[in-house]
Amino acid sequence: MVEVSSLLDIGYLISATLFIFGIKMLGSPKTAPKGNMYGALGMFVAVIVTVLKMQLSDGGIEGWMWILLGLGLGAAIGYWMATTVEMTGMPELVALFNGFGGAASALVALSEALKVYTSETYEIASPIFQVYHLIPILAIGASALVGWMTLTGSLVAMFKLKGGFTIPFTKKWVRFPTWGPSWLNYVKSGLFLTGLIMILMTLNDPGNLGLIYGIVGVSCVLGILFVLPIGGADMPVVVSLLNSLSGIAAAFTGFVVGNTVLIIAGSMVGAAGLILTFIMCKAMNRELFDVLFKAFGGSAKESLTRTKVGSDPEEVAMVLDGISKCIIVPGYGMAVSQSQHLVKEFADILEENDVDVSYAIHPVAGRMPGHMNVLLAEANVPYEKLIEMDEINSEFSECDVALVIGANDTVNPAARSGEGPLGGMPIIDADKAGVVVIIKRSLSVGYAGVDNDLFYEDKTMMLFGDGKKMMTELNSALKEL
Amino acid sequence: MSEVLGIFMTLEGFILSLTVFALAIFLGFELISKVPPTLHTPLMSGANAISGISIVGALLAANSGEANTATILAFFAIVLATINVVGGFLVTNRMLQMIRGKKRGGN
């Protein structure tokens, strides 16, 4: 039976190949759905091969109950979460899933650690002992360090994407803090070094479970401190980096259990995730180092001393009467208020009156790249109407009205000055339009914590209120004209 | 020597694994070059689902007749990894359907 079991390793090769094609195809719009399918198929093959291999090994599968129960429960929860989540909650869910992946790797490492440490395998004095036998021990420590950090980091990222959380048993909503004085970086470096030293110590003392729990603790704290100082606007980059880390954790776990497909898929995702992180940073015109180690926004709240008189929807409707070009600039506020269908209705009304309507999509509008695209697609906005920032910015000078709905930092002219938290971030040139209509709940600052001069300009009309309510009123005011 | 050591019983096994590890990292670096912003999130989500490959490690670790702490930890690892895998691929699919739907919406 040993031969059959070894032949089954070909299945892992097939699975790895499917992953390679899957990731490759996910990078292009035409092939992406197929790429995702390939990835899923690869995973299915890997699971089947593993189960078969275990069954064919000496003694067969002893833990059927655990395996079937675990797979069933996980599949049911995963299915339920993925199918019931609102489109707006998608980014949080990706962060949460990522945390689970990291936790799974870390748990496997811990489980193996308990097994190894309770057996008498690691007798360094044993005559057959070789230095490379320490590799799994090293991998257990490394997997724990990366895996637990991925879990706690992803959880913090998830709450940051949500903006806050409700305290259990009360209905009090707490905004998730962003906190990180510059000395915190030394604490983080110190913790990381401590983790590494503890991993090296496990080599000398492989029977010491206290060291492993120490690594787990250090890693959990490190994950929290790592994400805590980073502002919500940079969360997509952080989630992408954590995704890379969860891949690396899986690869280390591969070294723990001695399985090639784990090593291949894990390190591949780790590397590809890192590249994607750089691509996303580039789209936001940010340096990865700055994102991670220079606290960005959220912490410094500027007190608002200026005021602006709000307009009402009838007034705005009158301004919109008889214009020829309108550009809609959506932001996270549109996602939160679920007003994408009303935005589409607004565009339809204008188009009936021969107004040229298009949408300006900032690369980081919303909480994830592509967030706005997905939401507007849900509202049946034609693909060609969604225009990326670089292409549409030149059109604002000939645009009569720019409607900004729930966006703030991405239209803040302060970014052009090159200073402050927003400095250097490319923005949508909404301020170049003839009239700027902004739908927003208040004058409060955005994620970056920077006041927005655009709000106070004479040509700006503020509609204060919930996106959905304001769009409804604006649409009915337009119809009455 | 326990089963845990697996392929690392021999120096050859270890070197081979290290080779695979290094080559897969290079492959990962080359795999993605230019990705349109629309696809950043689906790609991240899809790659994240693939990193749920630790499900294989979890299955191997759970293969024990005894209900000790190690097995229970491995059981939770299976649950979490399966959520990551099943949920990850489904959510990616949902996102991609929307992007595709938007192209059809152009009619």
Side-chain angles (χ1 to χ4, degrees), chain A residues 217-300:
Chain A
V218 164
S219 172
C220 284
V221 176
L222 198 56
I224 295 171
L225 293 184
F226 180 63
V227 186
L228 199 59
I230 305 172
D234 282 328
M235 253 338 105
V237 174
V238 174
V239 176
S240 176
L241 189 67
L242 289 168
N243 175 34
S244 169
L245 280 183
S246 76
I248 292 169
F252 286 150
T253 308
F255 279 97
V256 176
V257 294
N259 183 292
T260 358
V261 77
L262 267 170
I263 299 175
I264 298 177
S267 49
M268 213 163 59
V269 168
L274 195 61
I275 296 292
L276 183 61
T277 311
F278 282 119
I279 293 178
M280 284 165 73
C281 271
K282 220 177 146 200
M284 298 166 70
N285 197 23
R286 305 260 290 144
E287 294 286 334
L288 184 59
F289 183 84
D290 293 355
V291 171
L292 299 180
F293 301 109
K294 289 187 188 159
F296 172 82
S299 48

Side-chain angles (χ1 to χ4, degrees), chain B residues 57-99:
Chain B
L59 288 171
L60 293 172
N63 188 19
S64 154
E66 294 168 62
N68 51 23
T69 321
T71 316
I72 291 167
L73 288 176
F75 166 75
F76 281 115
I78 296 182
V79 176
L80 291 178
T82 316
I83 294 177
N84 186 195
V85 167
V86 174
F89 283 121
L90 279 177
V91 122
T92 312
N93 193 44
R94 249 184 92 184
M95 284 185 225
L96 292 170
Q97 290 301 323
M98 293 252 162
I99 292 170

Side-chain angles (χ1 to χ4, degrees), chain A residues 48-72:
Chain A
I48 297 294
V49 167
T50 309
V51 172
L52 282 178
K53 265 179 83 90
M54 289 194 300
Q55 181 61 25
L56 290 174
S57 67
D58 303 327
I61 296 182
E62 292 171 85
W64 272 116
M65 186 191 78
W66 297 113
I67 287 167
L68 292 180
L69 199 65
L71 287 175

Side-chain angles (χ1 to χ4, degrees), chain A residues 3 71 115 118 167 173 180 205 208 212 247 259 274 306 324 333 361 391-392 398 429 444:
Chain A
E3 293 79 14
L71 287 175
K115 281 185 213 163
T118 47
I167 298 173
W173 174 260
D205 189 8
N208 191 345
I212 287 291
N259 183 292
L274 195 61
R306 294 181 285 181
S324 59
I361 309 294
E391 285 164 44
I392 203 162
E398 57 217 56
D429 296 336
S444 64

Side-chain angles (χ1 to χ4, degrees), chain A residues 265-471:
Chain A
S267 49
M268 213 163 59
V269 168
L274 195 61
I275 296 292
L276 183 61
T277 311
F278 282 119
I279 293 178
M280 284 165 73
C281 271
K282 220 177 146 200
M284 298 166 70
N285 197 23
R286 305 260 290 144
E287 294 286 334
L288 184 59
F289 183 84
D290 293 355
V291 171
L292 299 180
F293 301 109
K294 289 187 188 159
F296 172 82
S299 48
K301 288 249 166 52
E302 279 184 35
S303 56
L304 297 167
T305 48
R306 294 181 285 181
T307 51
K308 167 88 182 180
V309 181
S311 309
D312 57 56
E314 286 76 22
E315 237 177 299
V316 174
M318 272 184 264
V319 172
L320 286 164
D321 191 24
I323 61 165
S324 59
K325 187 174 172 65
C326 175
I327 300 177
I328 299 170
V329 186
Y332 189 57
M334 182 186 81
V336 172
S337 62
Q338 289 284 340
S339 49
Q340 63 270 23
H341 294 279
L342 290 161
V343 170
K344 170 75 162 74
E345 192 192 332
F346 170 81
D348 287 344
I349 298 171
L350 287 187
E351 278 172 341
E352 276 167 28
N353 294 312
D354 294 323
V355 181
D356 175 23
V357 182
S358 46
Y359 299 78
I361 309 294
H362 191 278
V364 294
R367 288 291 179 270
M368 285 273 160
H371 200 179
M372 294 297 118
N373 305 57
V374 168
L375 284 173
L376 290 168
E378 192 195 354
N380 290 320
V381 173
Y383 183 57
E384 57 276 6
K385 294 260 180 206
L386 308 180
I387 306 172
E388 281 176 31
M389 180 182 64
D390 293 337
E391 285 164 44
I392 203 162
N393 265 350
S394 58
E395 292 180 27
F396 276 99
S397 50
E398 57 217 56
C399 157
D400 301 300
V401 173
L403 176 80
V404 180
I405 167 155
N408 186 353
D409 292 339
T410 54
V411 294
N412 192 340
R416 290 202 198 103
S417 71
E419 283 163 24
L422 280 175
M425 185 175 96
I427 59 160
I428 290 188
D429 296 336
D431 56 330
K432 303 239 167 89
V435 174
V436 186
V437 178
I438 300 177
I439 299 181
K440 210 174 165 297
R441 267 176 293 193
S442 68
L443 286 170
S444 64
V445 295
Y447 251 120
V450 181
D451 199 6
N452 196 336
D453 286 336
L454 182 59
F455 297 167
Y456 306 98
E457 280 193 34
D458 289 337
K459 65 177 177 186
T460 303
M461 301 174 83
M462 299 294 296
L463 285 176
F464 292 118
D466 172 69
K468 201 168 203 164
K469 186 167 163 278
M470 277 301 141
M471 282 312 294

Side-chain angles (χ1 to χ4, degrees), chain A residues 102 104-106 108-110 112 135-150 192 196 199 244-268 270, chain B residues 4 8 14 17-18 21 25 51 53-54 57:
Chain A
S105 297
V108 172
L110 194 58
E112 293 296 315
I135 294 302
I137 293 290
L138 204 61
I140 284 173
S143 182
L145 187 66
V146 182
W148 293 108
M149 189 162 76
T150 309
F192 186 67
L196 288 183
I199 292 176
S244 169
L245 280 183
S246 76
I248 292 169
F252 286 150
T253 308
F255 279 97
V256 176
V257 294
N259 183 292
T260 358
V261 77
L262 267 170
I263 299 175
I264 298 177
S267 49
M268 213 163 59
Chain B
V4 181
F8 301 111
F14 167 58
S17 299
L18 203 62
F21 176 69
I25 285 182
S51 72
I53 188 70
S54 46

